[in-house]
Amino acid sequence: MGLVQDTLEIVWKRNPGEREFLQAVTEVLTSVEPVIERYKKYRDGKILARIVEPERQVMFRVPWVDDKGEIQVNRGFRIQFNSAIGPYKGGLRFHPTVCASILKFLGFEQVFKNSLTTLPMGGGKGGADFNVHGKSDNEVMRFCQSFMTELFRHIGPDTDVPAGDIGVGGREIGYLYGQYKRLRNEFTGVLTGKGLGWGGSLIRPEATGYGAVYFSQEMLKTRNESFAGKVCTVSGSGNVAQYTIEKLNQLGAKAVSVSDSNGTVHDPDGINPEKLAYLMDLKNVRRGRIKEYAEKYKVKYLDGQRPWGIQCDCAFPSATENEISGEDAKTLLDNGCILVAEGANMPTEPAGIRQFLAKKIHYGPGKAANAGGVATSGLEMCQNSMRLAWTREEVDQRLQRIMVTIHKVSSEAAAEYGQPHNLEMGANIAGFVKVADAMLDQGLV
Ligand code: NDP
């Protein structure tokens, strides 16, 4: 049996039942197998066995009091996966499904994604099984304060710099930052995604969605295509989905769907800027359900469904993991979809990825396509360290350059290993090599 298979067997034994983590590790290790075969230094240095084990994993109790005066208890986590190339960096997710498996998969992916951005950031992820839906602002604040009361001892601007993810947006980052500042008595860049008036970066809210579209533009350019007139389906209706739609509109494409965990809206005329402003208010201010969009604009609401049955040229999964099954992938391909760019992390099941690669459509894997978010977090850290703020244009240009570079290095790595169209393989290899070399340079860490 080969080294990759041996390592996977150990990972399966050590992490029983952690489905998402095992899925992510299997994908990356399978992709980098040719690199391991080519270079003895990675085999001798036992890089595979080391890279699949988080450097540190913290799990803690988060007690808080709800508006009725009742005590609630949640479970908090921080997975500090790999610090070979910089401080741990990765978001916090607040969602009822949060568990070790989900955060370990996200932390593992983050290691290679951060490496691809060209910025000095290690990989980590954290969060809690807390449901922000239906909670008052005060409840969210009390929860965030309690969460940070434990987390603060594990993080720092040169140690570990968390950001947002599902359920953690500007409001939550504000409450978390306030509590960190109070506990440490210092104003540092310990979190990214901060408000503009207190250390945040312009373009950070937009960055993941914009970045996914910039990455897709690079894929389209390889076949002399553009977004003009393309019909695009988007899933989710949160941060990533909203700014994906904004950028698609700017480039002349038509986004025809959004969704949440209850269902999908199909708006064949397109979610124009006026409708997008309504959506942003609905989701970010009123915190309502997507069904209200369908009622307001009198368009179809597909209860309990995802958008993948809607005919499109390009699909932007921007909600959550494993939201495109093998069957969904087949439907997308049968309906003529030529591009899938993953705004979400690991949104396509392995059976779906196999079909996209076999058909050689433009397939942008999450760790490349959605790396614009963490890249701009890296730019926020840089501005915080220098204690200055770049203009919108400057950050946007840097983001664009980073997305172009990620596409280039992923394509080159894919070509070097004989599969030029396969950006999944290319992104995994390009991200892996830099981290693995740093680990070898730093001795047995
Ligand atoms: P938000 O919380 O802003 O929005 C999440 C959206 O996805 C909501 O519409 C939510 O619906 C929907 N959703 C969440 N879970 C599920 C589920 N289990 N089934 C169906 N729909 C679901 O999160 P983001 O937009 O920030 O994140 C979306 C994805 O992008 C995630 O995979 C995240 O890891 C990834 N990502 C985010 C980055 C960022 O900068 N924010 C960076 C890189 C990747 P509902 O309201 O019903 O819960």
Side-chain angles (χ1 to χ4, degrees), residues 17-27 93 97 99 101-102 105-106 109 166 235 259 305-308 317-329 332 340 342-354 356 363 366 370 424:
E18 297 192 351
R19 195 171 64 89
E20 295 82 6
F21 179 55
L22 297 168
Q23 183 183 336
V25 173
T26 304
E27 188 215 296
R93 176 177 292 191
T97 56
C99 60
S101 172
I102 298 231
F105 119 64
L106 289 164
E109 290 275 296
I166 292 177
S235 67
S259 67
Q305 289 183 43
R306 300 167 183 162
W308 315 129
S318 311
T320 194
E321 56 275 359
N322 292 326
E323 55 171 315
I324 299 183
S325 65
E327 220 170 284
D328 293 328
L332 281 165
V340 176
E342 298 183 338
N345 285 306
M346 207 169 74
T348 313
E349 289 183 349
I353 298 175
R354 280 196 293 275
F356 296 152
Y363 168 61
N370 72 38
E424 182 206 27

Coordinates of all heavy atoms in Angstrom, one line a residue, residues 17-27 93 97 99 101-102 105-106 109 166 235 259 305-308 317-329 332 340 342-354 356 363 366 370 424:
G17 N -15.7 8.7 12.9 CA -17.0 9.4 12.8 C -16.8 10.9 12.3 O -17.8 11.6 12.1
E18 N -15.6 11.4 12.1 CA -15.5 12.8 11.7 C -15.5 12.9 10.2 O -14.5 13.1 9.5 CB -14.2 13.4 12.3 CG -14.3 13.3 13.8 CD -13.2 14.2 14.5 OE1 -12.2 14.6 13.9 OE2 -13.3 14.3 15.8
R19 N -16.7 12.8 9.7 CA -17.0 12.6 8.3 C -16.4 13.7 7.4 O -15.7 13.5 6.4 CB -18.5 12.5 8.0 CG -18.9 12.0 6.7 CD -20.4 11.8 6.7 NE -21.2 13.0 6.9 CZ -21.6 13.9 5.9 NH1 -21.3 13.6 4.7 NH2 -22.3 14.9 6.2
E20 N -16.6 15.0 7.8 CA -16.2 16.1 7.0 C -14.7 16.2 7.0 O -14.0 16.5 6.0 CB -16.8 17.4 7.5 CG -18.3 17.5 7.4 CD -19.1 16.8 8.6 OE1 -18.4 16.4 9.5 OE2 -20.3 16.8 8.5
F21 N -14.1 16.0 8.2 CA -12.6 16.1 8.3 C -12.0 15.0 7.4 O -11.0 15.2 6.7 CB -12.2 15.9 9.8 CG -10.7 15.9 10.0 CD1 -9.9 17.0 9.5 CD2 -10.0 14.9 10.6 CE1 -8.5 17.0 9.7 CE2 -8.7 14.9 10.8 CZ -7.9 16.0 10.3
L22 N -12.5 13.8 7.5 CA -12.0 12.7 6.7 C -12.1 13.0 5.2 O -11.2 12.7 4.4 CB -12.6 11.4 7.1 CG -12.4 11.0 8.6 CD1 -13.4 9.8 9.0 CD2 -11.0 10.6 8.8
Q23 N -13.2 13.6 4.8 CA -13.4 13.9 3.4 C -12.4 14.9 3.0 O -11.8 14.8 1.9 CB -14.9 14.5 3.3 CG -15.3 14.9 1.9 CD -16.7 15.6 1.9 OE1 -17.5 15.4 2.8 NE2 -16.9 16.3 0.9
A24 N -12.1 15.9 3.8 CA -11.2 17.0 3.4 C -9.8 16.4 3.3 O -9.0 16.7 2.4 CB -11.2 18.1 4.4
V25 N -9.4 15.6 4.3 CA -8.0 15.0 4.3 C -7.9 14.1 3.1 O -6.8 14.1 2.4 CB -7.7 14.3 5.6 CG1 -6.4 13.5 5.5 CG2 -7.7 15.3 6.8
T26 N -8.9 13.3 2.8 CA -8.8 12.3 1.7 C -8.6 13.1 0.4 O -7.7 12.7 -0.4 CB -10.1 11.5 1.6 OG1 -10.2 10.8 2.9 CG2 -10.0 10.4 0.5
E27 N -9.3 14.2 0.2 CA -9.2 15.0 -1.0 C -7.8 15.5 -1.2 O -7.2 15.4 -2.2 CB -10.2 16.1 -1.0 CG -10.3 16.8 -2.3 CD -10.6 18.3 -2.2 OE1 -11.6 18.7 -1.7 OE2 -9.7 19.1 -2.5
R93 N -17.1 30.1 13.3 CA -18.4 29.8 12.9 C -19.3 29.6 14.0 O -19.0 28.8 14.9 CB -18.4 28.5 12.0 CG -19.7 28.1 11.5 CD -19.7 26.8 10.6 NE -19.1 27.2 9.3 CZ -19.1 26.3 8.3 NH1 -19.7 25.1 8.4 NH2 -18.5 26.7 7.1
T97 N -24.7 23.2 13.9 CA -24.0 21.9 13.5 C -22.5 21.9 13.9 O -21.8 20.9 13.6 CB -24.1 21.8 12.0 OG1 -23.5 23.0 11.4 CG2 -25.5 21.6 11.5
C99 N -19.0 21.3 15.3 CA -18.4 20.2 16.1 C -17.0 20.0 15.7 O -16.5 20.7 14.7 CB -19.2 18.9 15.8 SG -19.1 18.4 14.1
S101 N -15.4 17.8 14.0 CA -15.2 17.3 12.6 C -15.3 18.5 11.6 O -14.4 18.7 10.8 CB -16.2 16.3 12.2 OG -16.1 16.0 10.8
I102 N -16.3 19.3 11.8 CA -16.5 20.5 10.9 C -15.3 21.5 11.0 O -14.8 22.0 10.0 CB -17.8 21.2 11.2 CG1 -19.0 20.2 10.9 CG2 -18.0 22.5 10.4 CD1 -20.1 20.6 10.0
F105 N -12.1 20.1 9.6 CA -12.0 20.1 8.1 C -11.8 21.5 7.7 O -10.9 21.8 6.8 CB -13.4 19.5 7.5 CG -14.2 20.5 6.7 CD1 -13.7 21.0 5.5 CD2 -15.5 20.8 7.1 CE1 -14.5 21.9 4.8 CE2 -16.3 21.7 6.4 CZ -15.8 22.2 5.2
L106 N -12.4 22.5 8.3 CA -12.3 23.9 7.9 C -10.8 24.4 8.2 O -10.2 25.1 7.4 CB -13.3 24.8 8.6 CG -14.7 24.6 8.1 CD1 -15.7 25.2 9.1 CD2 -14.9 25.2 6.7
E109 N -8.4 22.8 5.6 CA -8.5 23.4 4.3 C -7.8 24.8 4.4 O -7.1 25.2 3.4 CB -10.0 23.7 4.0 CG -10.8 22.5 3.6 CD -10.6 22.1 2.2 OE1 -11.1 22.9 1.3 OE2 -10.0 21.0 1.9
I166 N -19.8 31.5 8.9 CA -21.2 31.4 9.0 C -21.6 31.9 10.4 O -21.1 31.4 11.4 CB -21.7 30.0 8.7 CG1 -21.5 29.6 7.3 CG2 -23.1 29.8 9.1 CD1 -21.8 28.2 6.9
S235 N -26.1 30.1 -4.4 CA -26.8 29.6 -3.2 C -26.3 30.4 -2.0 O -25.3 31.0 -2.0 CB -26.5 28.1 -2.9 OG -25.1 28.0 -2.6
S259 N -30.6 31.6 -1.7 CA -31.2 30.6 -0.9 C -30.9 30.8 0.6 O -30.0 31.6 0.9 CB -30.8 29.2 -1.3 OG -29.5 29.0 -1.0
Q305 N -35.7 23.5 -1.2 CA -34.8 23.1 -2.3 C -33.6 24.0 -2.4 O -33.6 25.1 -2.0 CB -35.6 23.2 -3.7 CG -36.7 22.1 -3.8 CD -37.4 22.2 -5.2 OE1 -36.7 22.4 -6.2 NE2 -38.7 22.1 -5.2
R306 N -32.6 23.4 -3.1 CA -31.4 24.2 -3.5 C -31.5 24.7 -4.9 O -32.3 24.2 -5.6 CB -30.1 23.3 -3.3 CG -30.0 22.7 -1.9 CD -28.9 21.6 -2.0 NE -28.8 21.0 -0.7 CZ -28.2 19.8 -0.5 NH1 -27.8 19.1 -1.6 NH2 -28.1 19.3 0.7
P307 N -30.6 25.6 -5.3 CA -30.8 26.2 -6.7 C -30.3 25.3 -7.8 O -30.4 25.8 -9.0 CB -29.9 27.5 -6.6 CG -29.4 27.6 -5.2 CD -29.5 26.2 -4.6
W308 N -29.8 24.1 -7.6 CA -29.0 23.5 -8.7 C -29.9 22.9 -9.8 O -29.4 22.5 -10.9 CB -28.1 22.4 -8.1 CG -27.4 23.0 -6.9 CD1 -27.3 22.4 -5.7 CD2 -26.7 24.2 -6.8 NE1 -26.6 23.2 -4.8 CE2 -26.2 24.3 -5.5 CE3 -26.4 25.3 -7.7 CZ2 -25.5 25.4 -5.0 CZ3 -25.7 26.4 -7.2 CH2 -25.2 26.5 -5.9
P317 N -21.9 28.1 -5.5 CA -22.3 27.6 -4.2 C -21.7 28.4 -3.1 O -20.4 28.5 -3.0 CB -21.8 26.1 -4.2 CG -20.7 26.1 -5.2 CD -21.0 27.1 -6.2
S318 N -22.5 29.1 -2.3 CA -22.0 30.1 -1.4 C -22.7 30.0 0.0 O -22.8 30.9 0.7 CB -22.2 31.5 -1.9 OG -21.7 31.6 -3.2
A319 N -23.1 28.8 0.3 CA -23.8 28.6 1.6 C -23.0 27.7 2.5 O -22.5 28.2 3.5 CB -25.2 27.9 1.4
T320 N -22.8 26.4 2.2 CA -22.2 25.5 3.2 C -21.6 24.3 2.6 O -21.7 24.1 1.3 CB -23.3 25.2 4.3 OG1 -22.7 24.6 5.4 CG2 -24.3 24.2 3.7
E321 N -21.0 23.4 3.4 CA -20.3 22.2 2.9 C -21.4 21.2 2.3 O -22.5 21.1 2.8 CB -19.5 21.6 3.9 CG -20.1 21.2 5.2 CD -20.2 22.3 6.2 OE1 -19.7 23.4 5.9 OE2 -20.8 22.1 7.3
N322 N -20.9 20.4 1.3 CA -21.7 19.3 0.8 C -23.1 19.7 0.3 O -24.0 19.0 0.5 CB -21.7 18.2 1.7 CG -20.4 17.5 1.9 OD1 -19.6 17.5 1.0 ND2 -20.1 17.1 3.1
E323 N -23.2 20.9 -0.3 CA -24.5 21.4 -0.8 C -24.7 21.0 -2.2 O -25.8 21.3 -2.8 CB -24.7 22.9 -0.5 CG -23.6 23.7 -1.1 CD -23.9 25.2 -1.1 OE1 -25.1 25.6 -1.4 OE2 -23.0 26.0 -0.7
I324 N -23.7 20.5 -2.9 CA -23.9 20.0 -4.3 C -23.6 18.5 -4.3 O -22.4 18.1 -4.1 CB -23.0 20.7 -5.3 CG1 -23.3 22.2 -5.3 CG2 -23.1 20.1 -6.7 CD1 -22.4 23.0 -6.4
S325 N -24.6 17.7 -4.4 CA -24.4 16.2 -4.4 C -24.0 15.8 -5.8 O -24.0 16.6 -6.8 CB -25.7 15.5 -4.0 OG -26.7 15.8 -5.1
G326 N -23.6 14.5 -5.9 CA -23.3 13.9 -7.2 C -24.5 14.1 -8.2 O -24.3 14.5 -9.4
E327 N -25.7 14.0 -7.7 CA -26.9 14.1 -8.6 C -27.1 15.6 -9.0 O -27.4 15.9 -10.2 CB -28.1 13.7 -7.7 CG -29.1 12.9 -8.5 CD -30.1 12.3 -7.6 OE1 -29.8 11.3 -6.9 OE2 -31.2 12.9 -7.5
D328 N -26.8 16.5 -8.0 CA -26.9 17.9 -8.4 C -25.9 18.3 -9.4 O -26.2 19.1 -10.4 CB -26.6 18.8 -7.1 CG -27.7 18.7 -6.1 OD1 -28.9 18.5 -6.4 OD2 -27.3 18.8 -4.9
A329 N -24.7 17.7 -9.3 CA -23.7 18.0 -10.3 C -24.1 17.6 -11.7 O -23.9 18.3 -12.7 CB -22.4 17.3 -9.9
L332 N -26.6 20.0 -13.0 CA -26.0 21.2 -13.5 C -25.3 21.0 -14.9 O -25.5 21.8 -15.8 CB -24.9 21.6 -12.5 CG -25.4 22.4 -11.3 CD1 -24.3 22.4 -10.2 CD2 -25.8 23.8 -11.6
V340 N -18.2 26.2 -12.2 CA -18.6 26.2 -10.8 C -17.5 26.8 -10.0 O -16.3 26.3 -10.1 CB -18.8 24.7 -10.4 CG1 -19.2 24.6 -8.9 CG2 -20.0 24.1 -11.2
E342 N -16.5 27.8 -6.1 CA -16.9 27.5 -4.7 C -16.6 28.7 -3.8 O -15.5 28.8 -3.3 CB -16.2 26.2 -4.2 CG -16.6 25.0 -5.1 CD -16.0 23.7 -4.6 OE1 -15.0 23.7 -3.8 OE2 -16.6 22.6 -4.9
G343 N -17.6 29.5 -3.5 CA -17.5 30.5 -2.5 C -17.5 29.9 -1.1 O -16.9 30.4 -0.2
A344 N -18.3 28.9 -1.0 CA -18.4 28.1 0.3 C -17.2 27.2 0.4 O -16.5 26.9 -0.6 CB -19.7 27.3 0.4
N345 N -16.9 26.6 1.6 CA -15.9 25.7 1.8 C -16.4 24.3 1.6 O -17.4 23.9 2.2 CB -15.3 25.8 3.2 CG -14.4 27.0 3.3 OD1 -13.5 27.2 2.6 ND2 -14.7 27.9 4.3
M346 N -15.8 23.5 0.7 CA -16.1 22.1 0.4 C -17.6 21.9 0.1 O -18.2 21.0 0.6 CB -15.7 21.2 1.5 CG -15.4 19.8 1.2 SD -14.6 18.9 2.5 CE -15.9 18.6 3.6
P347 N -18.2 22.8 -0.8 CA -19.6 22.6 -1.0 C -20.0 21.5 -2.0 O -21.1 21.1 -2.0 CB -20.0 24.0 -1.7 CG -18.7 24.4 -2.4 CD -17.6 23.9 -1.5
T348 N -19.0 20.9 -2.7 CA -19.3 19.9 -3.6 C -18.8 18.5 -3.1 O -17.7 18.4 -2.7 CB -18.6 20.1 -5.0 OG1 -18.8 21.5 -5.4 CG2 -19.1 19.2 -6.1
E349 N -19.7 17.6 -3.1 CA -19.4 16.2 -2.6 C -18.4 15.6 -3.7 O -18.4 16.0 -4.8 CB -20.6 15.3 -2.5 CG -21.5 15.8 -1.3 CD -22.7 14.9 -1.1 OE1 -23.0 14.1 -2.0 OE2 -23.3 15.0 0.0
P350 N -17.5 14.7 -3.2 CA -16.5 14.1 -4.1 C -17.1 13.6 -5.4 O -16.5 13.8 -6.5 CB -15.9 12.9 -3.3 CG -16.1 13.3 -1.9 CD -17.4 14.1 -1.8
A351 N -18.3 13.0 -5.4 CA -18.9 12.5 -6.6 C -19.2 13.6 -7.6 O -19.2 13.4 -8.8 CB -20.2 11.7 -6.3
G352 N -19.5 14.8 -7.1 CA -19.7 15.9 -7.9 C -18.5 16.5 -8.5 O -18.4 16.8 -9.7
I353 N -17.4 16.5 -7.7 CA -16.1 17.0 -8.2 C -15.6 16.2 -9.4 O -15.2 16.6 -10.4 CB -15.1 17.1 -7.1 CG1 -15.5 18.0 -6.0 CG2 -13.7 17.5 -7.6 CD1 -14.6 18.1 -4.7
R354 N -15.8 14.8 -9.2 CA -15.3 13.9 -10.2 C -15.9 14.2 -11.5 O -15.3 14.2 -12.6 CB -15.6 12.5 -9.8 CG -14.5 11.9 -8.8 CD -14.6 10.4 -8.7 NE -15.9 9.9 -8.1 CZ -16.1 9.8 -6.8 NH1 -15.1 10.1 -5.9 NH2 -17.2 9.4 -6.3
F356 N -17.3 17.1 -12.5 CA -16.9 18.4 -13.1 C -15.5 18.3 -13.8 O -15.2 18.8 -14.8 CB -16.8 19.5 -12.0 CG -18.1 19.9 -11.3 CD1 -18.1 20.3 -10.0 CD2 -19.3 19.8 -12.0 CE1 -19.3 20.6 -9.4 CE2 -20.5 20.1 -11.4 CZ -20.5 20.5 -10.1
Y363 N -13.7 24.5 -13.1 CA -14.1 24.2 -11.7 C -13.1 24.9 -10.7 O -11.9 24.5 -10.7 CB -14.1 22.7 -11.5 CG -14.2 22.3 -10.0 CD1 -15.3 22.7 -9.3 CD2 -13.2 21.6 -9.4 CE1 -15.4 22.3 -7.9 CE2 -13.2 21.2 -8.1 CZ -14.3 21.6 -7.3 OH -14.4 21.3 -6.0
G366 N -12.9 25.5 -3.6 CA -13.0 26.5 -2.5 C -11.7 27.1 -2.1 O -11.6 28.3 -1.9
N370 N -12.4 30.9 -3.0 CA -12.9 31.7 -1.9 C -11.7 32.3 -1.0 O -12.0 32.9 0.0 CB -14.0 31.1 -1.1 CG -13.5 29.9 -0.2 OD1 -12.4 30.0 0.4 ND2 -14.3 28.9 -0.1
E424 N -8.3 21.7 -8.9 CA -8.4 21.1 -7.5 C -7.0 20.5 -7.1 O -6.4 20.8 -6.1 CB -9.4 19.9 -7.5 CG -9.6 19.3 -6.1 CD -10.0 17.9 -6.1 OE1 -9.8 17.1 -7.1 OE2 -10.7 17.4 -5.2

